[in-house]
Amino acid sequence: MAATGMVPADKSAFVLKRETGDLAEGAAKLAGEVGSTAVEALLAQANRTAKSKGAGAAMGSMRPRPAEWYAFDDKDQDTADWYPQGLTGSDDSGNLGVPAFLVSWYFKPRAGERGIRVSFLSPTSLRYQHALLVVARPDGSYGPIDIHAGGIACHGDLLYVADTTRGLRVFDLNNLLDLRTAQPDLGDGNRIGRHGGRLNAFGYRYLVPQTDFWKVAQAGPRFSFVSIDRSGATPRLVTGEYRDNDPGGWVGRWDLELAGGEPADAFIMGHADIQGAVSQGDRWYLSQGAGSTANGSLLVLDGEKLETRPFPIGPEDLTVQGGRLWSVTEFRNKRTIFGVGL
């Protein structure tokens, strides 16, 4: 095995196949009834405020500390129900119209499943707002999505969300729906779907229904994180697998728009506990976790060279924005979006 641990793998093991089914029809039905809004409009009235360089416990022993980081508000810091996982941004999208970060969260309790959500955060105002991701059906019904959502990436208006055992779910941000355009209130905060003539979404104002699905062609590959490599002439989608205490996790790159389903290349990373990965050509950045109390690491792999850099506690998915490498930290009272030099 090379010193970096990045060893070419059989691409055919990671083929994806498109299975849209009735997802697009269901999303269109719901969007037609509720009406869509823009990310810029959502951020203009966002109901939560992040704090610059808050939740400093997330940095642990990291020296030097990041040049900038944003902490979620006290309620989102303290909750044991929701955990942030995936991260992408307006640079990845190129189409949001306003600087923004997007963060995926999964609902941890086993009972009373509430699915997954995405936070839209403005690095300019530090205001942010949650939106619930749902599956809608042609009959007008809709419900939560019970997955880990360990990584997300945005390309144009399409948001790719990692579904650990199934592949990649796709959401069209043109279908960012504001329930207040359809009814004066947000319905029953303990229910989702249609009840008593009202639309309910556990009290969330905004919904984004799934529109597409790229599923694994054969069982086995696990999808834990997602990013976009925009360093070349053609952007590529990067995704791969977290393995606890096991260096055998894989990573692969697909030409967007995933035409044919087979990755352009794939590798075995040779490093355990990788929570996020992004590439810039032959240079790789890997986010490595070490539990809820110890600092993680940033592994920078360039050919045969491996560099290990200090990282905060609980680093997850990776993205590149504004010339920096950004990640999100997941643990209670240590939840931040932070950026470091490439």
Side-chain angles (χ1 to χ4, degrees), residues 204-282:
Y204 287 86
R205 175 174 175 175
Y206 295 94
L207 298 176
V208 188
Q210 184 178 346
T211 52
D212 214 342
F213 211 154
W214 286 88
K215 291 187 176 181
V216 292
Q218 59 186 33
R222 295 170 67 85
F223 292 73
S224 305
F225 45 79
V226 195
S227 64
I228 305 286
D229 182 343
R230 294 195 175 279
S231 62
T234 303
R236 288 184 172 180
L237 185 144
V238 179
T239 185
E241 175 187 29
Y242 166 86
R243 287 196 183 187
D244 183 16
N245 201 31
D246 181 346
W250 65 276
V251 67
R253 292 183 287 203
W254 277 256
D255 291 332
L256 289 163
E257 312 284 337
L258 300 178
E262 183 173 286
D265 53 26
F267 305 91
I268 301 300
M269 292 180 288
H271 300 278
D273 306 310
I274 301 304
Q275 302 276 16
V278 67
S279 65
Q280 293 201 316
D282 293 331

Side-chain angles (χ1 to χ4, degrees), residues 21-35:
D22 61 9
L23 290 168
E25 185 181 355
K29 169 73 173 178
L30 190 60
E33 179 175 353
V34 176

Side-chain angles (χ1 to χ4, degrees), residues 108 142 146 175 206 214 279 301-302 309 316:
K108 193 166 187 176
Y142 59 95
D146 181 12
N175 292 329
Y206 295 94
W214 286 88
S279 65
L301 286 61
D302 195 348
R309 299 180 186 173
E316 290 284 325

Side-chain angles (χ1 to χ4, degrees), residues 10-279:
D10 179 9
K11 297 187 297 181
S12 66
F14 310 113
V15 173
L16 294 167
K17 58 181 180 178
R18 191 175 191 179
E19 292 191 10
T20 306
D22 61 9
L23 290 168
E25 185 181 355
K29 169 73 173 178
L30 190 60
E33 179 175 353
V34 176
S36 62
T37 190
V39 172
E40 186 172 6
L42 175 150
L43 288 173
Q45 65 75 54
N47 64 352
R48 294 177 182 266
T49 304
K51 182 179 179 180
S52 177
K53 297 190 176 180
M59 302 303 127
S61 62
M62 182 180 177
R63 297 294 184 276
R65 289 188 168 194
E68 185 59 273
W69 73 86
Y70 314 118
F72 295 99
D73 72 10
D74 290 346
K75 184 176 181 179
D76 286 330
Q77 290 292 340
D78 191 52
T79 181
D81 292 341
W82 291 95
Y83 283 75
Q85 296 289 300
L87 179 69
T88 188
S90 48
D91 280 16
D92 271 351
S93 166
N95 207 35
L96 296 186
V98 62
F101 287 106
L102 283 66
V103 178
S104 66
W105 305 62
Y106 78 99
F107 190 72
K108 193 166 187 176
R110 294 178 181 272
E113 178 59 53
R114 297 199 172 198
I116 55 175
R117 68 187 187 188
V118 166
S119 302
F120 296 83
L121 184 147
S122 166
T124 304
S125 68
L126 297 188
R127 303 286 290 176
Y128 70 98
Q129 176 93 34
H130 300 313
L132 194 68
L133 303 187
V134 299
V135 169
R137 302 170 186 87
D139 65 2
S141 63
Y142 59 95
I145 301 171
D146 181 12
I147 62 173
H148 193 69
I152 58 175
C154 198
H155 176 63
D157 293 315
L158 299 182
L159 179 68
Y160 296 87
V161 178
D163 183 329
T164 309
T165 59
R166 299 178 185 90
L168 297 171
R169 295 177 184 256
V170 186
F171 300 79
D172 189 338
L173 295 179
N174 286 308
N175 292 329
L176 174 59
L177 309 182
D178 183 352
L179 286 184
R180 286 208 169 137
T181 64
Q183 59 191 35
D185 60 45
L186 300 181
D188 186 337
N190 295 311
R191 309 184 79 167
I192 189 168
R194 298 171 182 272
H195 301 279
R198 295 193 301 172
L199 303 175
N200 307 277
F202 299 130
Y204 287 86
R205 175 174 175 175
Y206 295 94
L207 298 176
V208 188
Q210 184 178 346
T211 52
D212 214 342
F213 211 154
W214 286 88
K215 291 187 176 181
V216 292
Q218 59 186 33
R222 295 170 67 85
F223 292 73
S224 305
F225 45 79
V226 195
S227 64
I228 305 286
D229 182 343
R230 294 195 175 279
S231 62
T234 303
R236 288 184 172 180
L237 185 144
V238 179
T239 185
E241 175 187 29
Y242 166 86
R243 287 196 183 187
D244 183 16
N245 201 31
D246 181 346
W250 65 276
V251 67
R253 292 183 287 203
W254 277 256
D255 291 332
L256 289 163
E257 312 284 337
L258 300 178
E262 183 173 286
D265 53 26
F267 305 91
I268 301 300
M269 292 180 288
H271 300 278
D273 306 310
I274 301 304
Q275 302 276 16
V278 67
S279 65

